[in-house]
Amino acid sequence: VFLVIFLLDVFYTSYRLVEDFPMLKFTLNGGVHSLDEVSTHLAEGVHGVMMGRAAIHTPWSVLRHADSRVFGVPDPRLSR
């Protein structure tokens, strides 16, 4: 079961939901602007994080290192 939480500033509430309902998988959507924020949310226990506007407005700078930072895949050293 997946539940997408649309929260902008109240991430603490989503962390509590993860603790209170361990049988569910929670994905954050909204208000995430960097890979540092993605890493923080994943470390807090959410199962997924979606980046919308940040990825659309500056895709190269936001997503360039996503695979290596989030999934541990070697950085291919790509350039535009």
Side-chain angles (χ1 to χ4, degrees):
V1 176
F2 291 92
L3 178 63
V4 177
I5 304 170
F6 296 94
L7 297 171
L8 294 177
D9 296 319
V10 193
F11 294 122
Y12 175 75
T13 302
S14 61
Y15 303 152
R16 287 291 313 269
L17 288 170
V18 170
E19 291 176 11
D20 293 344
F21 300 96
M23 72 294 280
L24 298 177
K25 295 189 181 289
F26 291 91
T27 300
L28 288 177
N29 182 17
V32 180
H33 304 288
S34 70
L35 291 177
D36 290 335
E37 292 178 34
V38 170
S39 297
T40 298
H41 296 311
L42 292 173
E44 289 289 342
V46 298
H47 298 89
V49 180
M50 295 184 204
M51 293 181 71
R53 289 186 187 106
I56 290 172
H57 294 298
T58 56
W60 184 253
S61 63
V62 172
L63 300 176
R64 178 179 176 196
H65 300 289
D67 287 340
S68 60
R69 296 261 321 266
V70 177
F71 301 108
V73 175
D75 191 348
R77 306 275 188 247
L78 298 174
S79 65
R80 294 195 256 178

